[in-house]
Amino acid sequence: MTAVAIPGLDSAPTTHSQVLEWVREVAELTTPDRVVWIDGSDEESERINKKLVDAGTFVPLEGKPNSYWAASDSSDVARVEERTFICSQSEADAGPTNNWMHPDQMKATMTELYRGSMRGRTMYVIPFCMGPLSDDNPKLGIELTDSEYVVASMRIMTRMGSAALEKFYADDGSERGFVRALHSLGAPLEPGQADVPWPCNDTKYITHFPEERLIWSFGSGYGGNALLGKKCFSLRIASAIGRDEGWLAEHMLILKLISPENKVYYIAAAFPSACGKTNLAMLESTIPGWRVETLGDDIAWMRFGSDGRLYAVNPEAGFFGVAPGTNWKTNPNAMRTIEKGNSVFTNVALTDDGDVWWEEMENMPSHATSWKKQDWTPDSEEPAAHPNSRYCTPMSQCPILAPEWDDPNGVPISAILFGGRRATTVPLVNEARDWQHGTFLGATLSSEKTAAAAGKVGEVRRDPMAMLPFIGYNAGDYFQHWIDTGKSADATKLPKIFYVNWFRRGEDRRILWPGFGENCRVLKWIIERIEGKAAATETPIGWVPSADQLDLSGLDDPIEDIEACLEVDRDEWRAEIPLIEEWFDKIGDRLPTSLRDELEALKQRLG
Ligand code: GDP
Ligand code: PGA
Ligand code: MN
Ligand code: MN
C-alpha cells in the first residue's frame, strides 16, 4: 500500500516505532488535513486557544487571566454510560454491569465511523503521562484527537507534550509501551463547509479494549467521554491492569489531614460523580488546629509499599470540578484555584463583564448568557449553568496543594471512605468492622443519580465503590480483587474503612448535615477512631457515633438534625436487604462468597 501524504505526519518528534506506526494507521483511516505533534509549550497553547476563539468554541474571559468560557452542544453535556463499552474477548469478563460487544464486531462498526471522520480537521498527537513523570515506571499514553478543546483540556488535566514524550524511551533506550487512546468528534468538514462551535455526532461510542490497552472514543467532545486519560485510561483500563498486576485503580480523592499535634494522615474517599469528592479534597476545616491539604480530587492508584502499607498516587494534574454549588463559602480553595486563571469553564454562564457565574455562586448577575447561549436573568425558569457544568483548572494553582502530590511513591493511606447521596437509611458515618466488611459496604454503596451522567437524576442505584461506570472488567472479579487485596496484607497496616453520607434529609426534604467544611468533624472522629481515642456505638451495620461522640463544638445547627443524621433505623435497613439481594443476584456467580456471608451476617444482626 502506498503511504498517503498527510502534512505533518512525517515530522514526528520521536522515532518510537510503535508510536509512528499507530499514528500513521489512524491518520490513514481518519484522513485529517494535517497532523500536529503536541509539545505542551506555552506558544503552542496560545495557538490552540486562538484557534478555539476563532472557531467560537472559546470566549476569552475578562475576569480571569488566560481563561475561557465554552458552551457545548446541548446534547453533549455528560458521560454517556449507555454508550460506554468494555470490549473484552469474552462477554463474561466485561461482566453484568458493563455494556459489551465482541472486539471484532465493535472494531468493524467503529472503523467505518472513523473512516474519513477527521476530514477537514487537524489530528493532534498528544503524548501524556498519568502520574508523576519521575516514576520509574511511568504510565504513558497517546491520545489522537481532532478536537482543539481536548488538546487544551488535556494540557490542564495531564502531564503532556515533550516532557511526557521523553519518557517513551526507557533508560536503556528501549521503547516503552503505552495506552493507545483514539478520539474523534465524528464531524468531518467538507471543503468550504463552515464549522460549528461544538462539533460532535449523534452517534457516540466510548469503547475500551482492556486486553489491548486500547481506547476508541467517537462522537462526543465532553470531558469524561473525550479526555481519555481520565475515566477511560486511569479508571477503566487501569482497573484491568491493576487486577492483573495486584493494585487498585479507584474513583477516589486523596487528602492529607494534619492534626493540632501536627500528625499527618492521608485519607482516600470514593463518592459517585457529583457527590462531593472535589469539595472534600479541598476542605477548609472549621475545627481549630485541624488542616487539610489536597493531593487529588477524582482518581487514586493504590499499591502496597515495601513497609506493607497501602500507598496512593493521583494520576491527574488538574481538577475537572462540578461548578454549580461551588462558592467562597462551600469551597473557597476551589475559588482561589480558579481565580488564578489558566482555566476552561464549560457550560457555566457568561456574565456581561466577561466572567463566569453559576448557581449558588456569590454576586448573582442581573443578566448573563446561559450555557445554552440564551439571555438569562434571575427570573429565568432555567438555570444559568448546566447542573454538570465544569471548571478545568491546574492542580498546581491550588493554595492547599500538598507538596508530596507529585511523589511517585504516593502517600500511605490510613482511612478509606465510601459515600453517596442517600436521603434516608444511611447514617452520617459508619465504621466497618474489618476490611471484608468494608468491602461489603463499598460493594453495596448506593446513591441517587446525579447530572454527571446522562439519564434520570435522583433514582437510587447501586454504585459499588463509586466505580459502577468505571470498572473495566467483571464487577464480581473486582469485588474479589478487593477481598484478595485485604487478604494479601498485614491487617494491622490496612486502611480502616468508613461509609459516610453527607446528604441525609429530614421529613421536610432539607439536607440535615451542614456538610462542606463541617465534614472535618467526621474526619476528626475517623482519625480518633484509628488512634483508639474516640468512642462509637456498635450497631447492626457497623460502628456509628452518637451526637455526643462527635466534636460538635461551635456548630450551631439544631442537635435534633445531627441526631437524625446519625440514626440507624432497623426497619429502613431491613427494607434495604432485598435491594442488596437483588444487586448481588445481578452480579451473579462471580460474587465472592465472603460478601454473601457478610449479607447473611447483616441479616442476622438486624434480626
Ligand atoms: P464530585 O463530582 O464527587 O467531585 O463532587 P463535588 O465535590 O464537585 O460536589 C458535587 C456537588 O455536591 C456540588 O454541587 C457541591 O456543592 C455538592 N456538595 C459537595 N459536598 C457537599 C456536602 O458536604 N454537603 C452538601 N450538601 N453538598 C455537597
Ligand atoms: P466527578 O468527575 O467525579 O468529579 O464528577 C467526573 C465524572 O465522574 O464524570
Ligand atoms: Mn469522577
Ligand atoms: Mn470532582
Side-chain angles (χ1 to χ4, degrees):
M1 208 175 107
T2 52
V4 184
I6 298 175
L9 185 54
D10 293 324
S11 47
T14 180
T15 55
H16 194 289
S17 63
Q18 297 167 57
V19 172
L20 296 182
E21 225 169 87
W22 184 58
V23 172
R24 170 166 294 279
E25 188 190 305
V26 171
E28 288 178 354
L29 174 64
T30 59
T31 62
D33 281 6
R34 69 195 74 77
V35 172
V36 167
W37 298 77
I38 290 297
D39 62 23
S41 66
D42 290 347
E43 303 78 72
E44 176 187 81
S45 168
E46 278 164 32
R47 248 185 342 265
I48 299 280
N49 290 344
K50 178 168 186 312
K51 210 168 165 187
L52 283 159
V53 171
D54 291 345
T57 313
F58 271 4
V59 172
L61 295 182
E62 304 287 327
K64 293 178 175 58
N66 188 32
S67 295
Y68 299 91
W69 176 77
S72 80
D73 188 281
S74 61
S75 67
D76 197 21
V77 295
R79 287 182 292 99
V80 282
E81 294 178 5
E82 66 287 358
R83 306 300 306 161
T84 301
F85 291 80
I86 301 295
C87 295
S88 43
Q89 288 290 332
S90 129
E91 181 169 11
D93 287 340
T97 60
N98 285 308
N99 298 310
W100 178 86
M101 202 190 280
H102 191 277
D104 294 344
Q105 194 192 342
M106 181 60 89
K107 282 187 183 170
T109 304
M110 289 188 75
T111 296
E112 290 323 304
L113 292 172
Y114 281 132
R115 196 177 302 287
S117 73
M118 296 191 185
R119 204 165 53 240
R121 299 191 184 277
T122 302
M123 182 173 92
Y124 298 93
V125 183
I126 313 173
F128 64 94
C129 179
M130 300 314 293
L133 287 162
S134 56
D135 195 332
D136 291 339
N137 182 15
K139 306 296 181 297
L140 302 169
I142 299 266
E143 177 157 353
L144 302 181
T145 180
D146 52 5
S147 161
E148 286 83 15
Y149 174 88
V150 166
V151 177
S153 304
M154 284 291 283
R155 186 168 198 269
I156 297 170
M157 294 304 296
T158 69
R159 295 135 172 114
M160 54 84 102
S162 309
L165 190 59
E166 273 174 32
K167 300 289 167 185
F168 277 64
Y169 288 96
D171 291 342
D172 64 2
S174 61
E175 293 186 356
R176 282 195 165 117
F178 60 97
V179 171
R180 290 159 168 77
L182 167 56
H183 171 251
S184 176
L185 297 167
L189 291 167
E190 300 312 324
Q193 183 185 342
D195 205 355
V196 293
W198 189 276
C200 59
N201 193 308
D202 287 343
T203 299
K204 294 178 174 50
Y205 281 97
I206 318 299
T207 303
H208 310 72
F209 305 92
E211 286 119 353
E212 296 173 69
R213 320 298 196 215
L214 173 67
I215 302 158
W216 279 9
S217 167
F218 182 90
S220 171
Y222 170 78
N225 302 327
L227 313 178
L228 304 185
K230 193 176 179 58
K231 304 301 185 180
C232 300
F233 179 164
S234 295
L235 289 175
R236 298 193 192 98
I237 296 289
S239 64
I241 300 176
R243 169 204 50 189
D244 298 346
E245 297 180 359
W247 53 279
L248 296 165
E250 298 296 333
H251 192 200
M252 292 180 181
L253 68 94
I254 310 168
L255 68 80
K256 176 180 175 185
L257 183 63
I258 308 164
S259 76
E261 299 79 38
N262 278 320
K263 259 197 100 170
V264 167
Y265 304 88
Y266 298 98
I267 297 177
F271 310 152
S273 303
C275 292
K277 290 182 302 301
T278 301
N279 276 268
L280 190 68
M282 297 185 202
L283 176 144
E284 200 162 70
S285 166
T286 55
I287 312 179
W290 290 80
R291 277 191 303 129
V292 165
E293 291 179 357
T294 308
L295 290 109
D297 80 325
D298 199 45
I299 302 177
W301 286 351
M302 301 194 289
R303 63 174 73 233
F304 289 105
S306 50
D307 61 357
R309 297 190 69 189
L310 194 60
Y311 282 73
V313 166
N314 170 18
E316 299 192 278
F319 301 127
F320 185 65
V322 176
T326 307
N327 61 44
W328 288 99
K329 201 164 160 281
T330 57
N331 194 348
N333 289 311
M335 298 300 282
R336 292 178 191 119
T337 306
I338 61 180
E339 282 298 294
K340 293 184 188 147
N342 310 308
S343 302
V344 176
F345 298 86
T346 304
N347 289 340
V348 304
L350 177 67
T351 62
D352 296 349
D353 57 357
D355 209 335
V356 287
W357 189 82
W358 47 73
E359 274 62 28
E360 293 175 59
M361 198 208 275
E362 290 84 359
N363 304 322
M364 184 193 288
S366 56
H367 176 267
T369 305
S370 76
W371 74 277
K372 287 186 175 170
K373 297 188 176 173
Q374 289 163 356
D375 282 318
W376 181 91
T377 69
D379 294 330
S380 297
E381 305 237 313
E382 294 197 338
H386 186 276
N388 191 39
S389 55
R390 299 274 173 164
Y391 54 83
C392 180
T393 193
M395 274 184 68
S396 58
Q397 293 181 180
C398 179
I400 57 161
L401 190 66
E404 59 274 43
W405 78 283
D406 198 33
D407 182 344
N409 296 319
V411 294
I413 299 297
S414 296
I416 291 175
L417 279 48
F418 294 119
R421 283 179 188 261
R422 284 297 301 268
T424 65
T425 319
V426 179
L428 178 64
V429 57
N430 172 24
E431 180 186 344
R433 306 154 77 88
D434 54 28
W435 181 271
Q436 179 176 299
H437 182 228
T439 301
F440 174 78
L441 296 184
T444 57
L445 197 159
S446 55
S447 193
E448 294 151 18
K449 263 190 92 172
T450 68
K456 190 166 176 269
V457 171
E459 244 168 22
V460 172
R461 68 169 183 182
R462 299 290 138 184
D463 190 343
M465 286 80 174
M467 282 284 281
L468 179 69
F470 308 122
I471 302 171
Y473 57 104
N474 186 301
D477 294 348
Y478 170 78
F479 298 154
Q480 189 64 55
H481 185 46
W482 264 83
I483 297 281
D484 294 344
T485 299
K487 287 207 177 117
S488 73
D490 173 348
T492 63
K493 293 180 177 171
L494 278 171
K496 291 237 184 297
I497 300 178
F498 298 81
Y499 190 160
V500 302
N501 177 21
W502 312 145
F503 298 95
R504 194 133 166 194
R505 291 175 191 263
E507 256 144 41
D508 52 2
R509 295 294 298 160
R510 188 171 47 89
I511 291 184
L512 296 170
W513 175 250
F516 304 104
E518 305 297 357
N519 292 333
C520 69
R521 300 175 187 280
V522 174
L523 298 185
K524 181 185 172 197
W525 181 80
I526 285 170
I527 294 307
E528 290 179 349
R529 285 296 292 167
I530 290 170
E531 294 287 7
K533 289 192 215 156
T537 308
E538 190 169 14
T539 79
I541 61 165
W543 295 89
V544 177
S546 57
D548 59 359
Q549 290 166 334
L550 284 176
D551 181 350
L552 300 175
S553 53
L555 190 68
D556 43 24
D557 291 61
I559 190 73
E560 304 78 53
D561 283 5
I562 311 299
E563 282 165 352
C565 303
L566 290 165
E567 198 184 326
V568 178
D569 181 309
R570 278 177 188 254
D571 288 335
E572 281 183 339
W573 276 97
R574 285 193 194 106
E576 197 77 7
I577 297 290
L579 304 176
I580 297 176
E581 278 170 341
E582 189 186 322
W583 166 238
F584 278 1
D585 288 346
K586 183 177 173 186
I587 299 302
D589 55 6
R590 296 210 198 179
L591 181 82
T593 47
S594 51
L595 294 186
R596 283 256 180 232
D597 296 344
E598 286 293 338
L599 177 57
E600 284 312 310
L602 173 61
K603 278 199 227 170
Q604 295 284 325
R605 292 194 298 267
L606 285 170

